[in-house]
């Protein structure tokens, strides 16, 4: 249940007082969060700025140049331990907007001339020293709970959605804080089953990251495949991979490693399972005993031989036998191939007692 004791106050700060969050969900690519000191956060600002720029904030920069820095959705901040005269605030919500504003200031300011270049709006110069933000105060758990709820509303089910991995990480953090799937779903506008699926996908992904052999291949680009694995048919999930609802992990190691082989990029060779559609087909077909035995023996999914139906095999053999029996004018190449076939048959059926 939402804790109403959190305090929210509107304050005015300068752009230089805002620090980008190094644990920003948008930048997370599978790493565990780090408890940074204030000094470390300050030192990391340039790196965080560059990472957010790579996430494409040019749309925000263009909008600010055209329309100014709009405060319809105010930036949300929290206090951090300050040692200097000028207070610093860590951005809870609004890291992309803050990074875009900082980027414009950096790009348009001429250090040698000590002034902004021509064409840079005066309104942005003025706003950089007077930004209205929402300051949240409370205990650490209260602030974390408020932050997660706010980000969930805006970036999981809201208009500015994160990628699947970042959304699932937020769900995992909310679950770890004691919230149930039903409660998380109500907040995020998702069915509890969908919340559970995304959470289990997050846990499956991190199970691979912990694997000594395959952990190095666990990239967020694979995350959509783990979403498929967590929502796959019961046989694939529970029987073949051995999902344990209490441990919340897969327990059939051999089959799990076979799956890791299928989704991992090895050199320039394309992975067997490289998109959700192929993965769904793989999960369905693993229920078929003859397919399963081939997969487990190392046969690649695309090379599986589906001619394991006895009736169909007999029909094919009969058709080929009739063809050979009725056709007389074989070429030299065909003759050699038929000799090869006879040798194969002799080898396969040596010692057989034929009626």
């Amino acid at each position: 249940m939402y804790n109403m004791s959190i305090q929210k106050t509107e304050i005015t700060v300068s752009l230089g007082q805002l620090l980008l969050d190094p644990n920003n969900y948008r930048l997370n690519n599978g790493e565990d969060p780090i408890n940074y000191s204030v000094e470390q956060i300050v030192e990391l600002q340039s790196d965080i700025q560059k990472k957010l720029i790579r996430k494409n904030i040019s749309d925000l920069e263009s909008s600010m140049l055209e329309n100014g820095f709009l405060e319809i959705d105010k930036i949300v901040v929290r206090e951090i331990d300050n040692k200097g005269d000028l207070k610093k605030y860590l951005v809870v919500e609004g890291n992309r907007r803050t990074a875009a504003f900082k980027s414009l200031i950096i790009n348009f300011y001429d250090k040698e001339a000590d002034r902004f270049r021509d064409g840079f709006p005066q309104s942005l110069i003025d706003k950089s020293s007077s930004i209205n933000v929402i300051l949240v105060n409370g205990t650490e758990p209260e602030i974390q709970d408020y932050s997660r709820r706010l980000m969930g509303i805006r970036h999981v089910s809201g208009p500015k959605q994160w990628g699947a991995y970042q959304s699932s990480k937020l769900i995992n953090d909310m679950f770890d804080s004691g919230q149930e799937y039903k409660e998380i779903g109500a907040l995020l506008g998702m069915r509890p089953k969908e919340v559970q699926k995304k959470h289990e996908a997050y846990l499956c992904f991190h199970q691979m990251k912990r694997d000594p052999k395959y952990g190095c291949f666990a990239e967020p680009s694979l995350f959509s495949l783990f979403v498929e694995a967590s929502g796959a048919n019961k046989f694939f999930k529970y029987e073949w991979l051995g999902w344990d609802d209490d441990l919340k992990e897969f327990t059939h190691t051999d089959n799990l490693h076979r799956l890791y082989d299928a989704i991992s990029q090895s050199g320039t060779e394309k992975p067997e399972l490289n998109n959700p559609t192929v993965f769904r087909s793989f999960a369905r077909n693993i229920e078929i005993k003859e397919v399963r035995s081939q997969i487990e023996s190392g046969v690649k999914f695309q090379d599986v031989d589906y001619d394991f139906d006895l009736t169909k095999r007999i029909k094919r053999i009969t058709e080929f036998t009739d063809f050979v029996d009725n056709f007389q004018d074989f070429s030299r190449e065909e003759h050699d191939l038929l000799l090869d076939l006879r040798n194969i048959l002799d080898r396969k059926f040596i010692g057989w007692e034929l009626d």
Side-chain angles (χ1 to χ4, degrees), residues 75 80 114 130 294:
I75 291 172
I80 56 177
D114 193 23
S130 181
Q294 292 180 66

Side-chain angles (χ1 to χ4, degrees), residues 1 17 19 21 68 84-85 90 147 151 175 208 225 230 244 261 267 290 293 302 310 345 350 352:
M1 183 176 178
Q17 289 178 269
L19 297 178
D21 185 1
D85 295 331
L90 188 67
S147 301
M151 288 184 282
F175 183 85
M208 183 179 180
L225 303 184
S230 66
D244 188 305
D261 275 329
E290 291 82 358
S293 63
Q302 57 267 33
L310 179 60
L345 293 174
I350 188 169
W352 275 38

Side-chain angles (χ1 to χ4, degrees), residues 85-206:
D85 295 331
L86 187 65
K87 280 189 175 182
K88 299 285 187 179
Y89 299 91
L90 188 67
V91 176
V92 172
E93 166 60 24
N95 278 276
R96 285 184 77 241
R97 282 175 287 158
T98 304
F101 201 174
K102 286 176 178 282
S103 180
L104 286 175
I105 294 296
I106 293 170
N107 292 335
F108 278 87
Y109 188 73
D110 188 337
K111 291 184 178 180
E112 292 185 3
D114 193 23
R115 67 179 182 84
F116 285 95
R117 294 187 176 90
D118 293 340
F120 190 67
Q122 183 63 42
S123 62
L124 288 180
I125 298 174
D126 296 338
K127 177 53 66 176
S128 67
S129 61
S130 181
I131 303 173
N132 297 313
V133 300
I134 301 297
L135 172 66
V136 293
N137 280 307
T139 64
E140 185 64 25
E142 288 172 344
I143 293 176
Q144 285 188 353
D145 179 62
Y146 174 81
S147 301
R148 289 166 184 161
R149 290 172 181 271
L150 178 63
M151 288 184 282
I153 292 170
R154 292 185 59 79
H155 300 299
V156 177
S157 56
K160 300 179 179 179
Q161 295 187 9
W162 288 330
Y165 174 76
Q166 289 75 21
S167 300
S168 296
K169 183 182 187 309
L170 176 62
I171 289 172
N172 178 73
D173 290 346
M174 297 174 80
F175 183 85
D176 284 348
S177 71
Q179 293 173 262
E180 301 292 334
Y181 291 140
K182 185 176 181 180
E183 183 183 0
I184 298 171
L187 172 69
L188 302 182
M190 299 166 60
R191 292 179 292 107
K193 281 289 186 184
E194 186 65 18
V195 174
Q196 180 178 355
K197 179 180 174 181
K198 288 182 176 292
H199 181 226
E200 290 179 352
Y202 177 88
L203 298 175
C204 294
F205 173 78
H206 279 270

Side-chain angles (χ1 to χ4, degrees), residues 50-62:
K50 291 175 183 176
K51 288 179 181 179
L52 284 169
I53 289 174
R54 287 196 291 271
K55 293 291 182 180
N56 191 7
I57 57 175
S58 59
D59 57 332
L60 290 174
E61 293 176 344
S62 298

